[in-house]
Amino acid sequence: MNTMRNFALLLVLFFCGSLIARAGMRAADYLTWISDHLQTVSYTVTTPRATYQEFASAKMEFDGCDVKIVEDLKTQKSDIQTTISFNLSYLQGGMIRSRPETSYGNTQITPYFLVLLPLASTATHTTTFTASDGSKTDTGASTSVSIVFQDRDLANRQANAWRDAAFACGAR
């Protein structure tokens, strides 16, 4: 009887271990797809005084459920690079969404889309501003991360993949 109980316990431990391994593999699969489908986005900004192009892109590295995102924004007068790291379990999976970025005030922009990744707690980000007169680095705290995409379809698929990866890593 004791042997049977030990065998049943061993089966339960093996089954739970395989579920955890499968969840880790699934998160890696989602993250690989996400990383392979990032875009460089070009959009035009029109203000009452000027019209200019901006270019935004993102790169991603991951190790298990730990993610590092490096976002680059090239503007008319400077280059801005922001780096943020977080664990996918800190994402609020049910609140991940995509939305169009819209114009505001007297500033008009050509359409592009954002994937919004809200965090359950803050994550530290580092931003470096580089201009012709030098560079400056700031550190701050973020409660969300956003990634830009040129088209709605890819932004929606990215939001779904981020949500699935977050849930596979234990996000709520």
Side-chain angles (χ1 to χ4, degrees), residues 58-157:
K59 296 177 285 234
M60 189 181 90
E61 299 173 10
F62 61 91
D63 181 16
C65 293
D66 293 319
V67 176
K68 176 182 173 184
I69 298 174
V70 178
E71 296 176 304
D72 290 305
L73 176 63
K74 301 204 180 301
T75 69
Q76 183 180 17
K77 296 183 179 183
S78 64
D79 293 342
I80 303 166
Q81 184 176 76
T82 301
T83 303
I84 188 166
S85 299
F86 58 92
N87 188 287
L88 285 172
S89 66
Y90 298 151
L91 287 176
Q92 297 180 45
M95 296 178 66
I96 295 171
R97 61 187 165 85
S98 65
R99 71 169 175 84
E101 182 65 4
T102 57
S103 301
Y104 52 92
N106 290 336
T107 302
Q108 301 297 312
I109 58 171
T110 54
Y112 64 93
F113 299 87
L114 295 173
V115 171
L116 303 171
L117 307 172
L119 298 166
S121 62
T122 59
T124 302
H125 68 266
T126 303
T127 302
T128 302
F129 302 89
T130 305
S132 59
D133 60 346
S135 66
K136 178 183 178 187
T137 300
D138 287 330
T139 302
S142 297
T143 57
S144 67
V145 178
S146 60
I147 304 171
V148 296
F149 294 93
Q150 199 73 60
D151 64 272
R152 180 185 312 266
D153 180 57
L154 184 55
N156 288 337
R157 289 188 291 148

Side-chain angles (χ1 to χ4, degrees), residues 42-55 74-77 106-110:
S42 170
Y43 54 92
T44 303
V45 178
T46 304
T47 68
R49 295 182 187 219
T51 297
Y52 53 91
Q53 288 286 122
E54 290 189 353
F55 300 92
K74 301 204 180 301
T75 69
Q76 183 180 17
K77 296 183 179 183
N106 290 336
T107 302
Q108 301 297 312
I109 58 171
T110 54

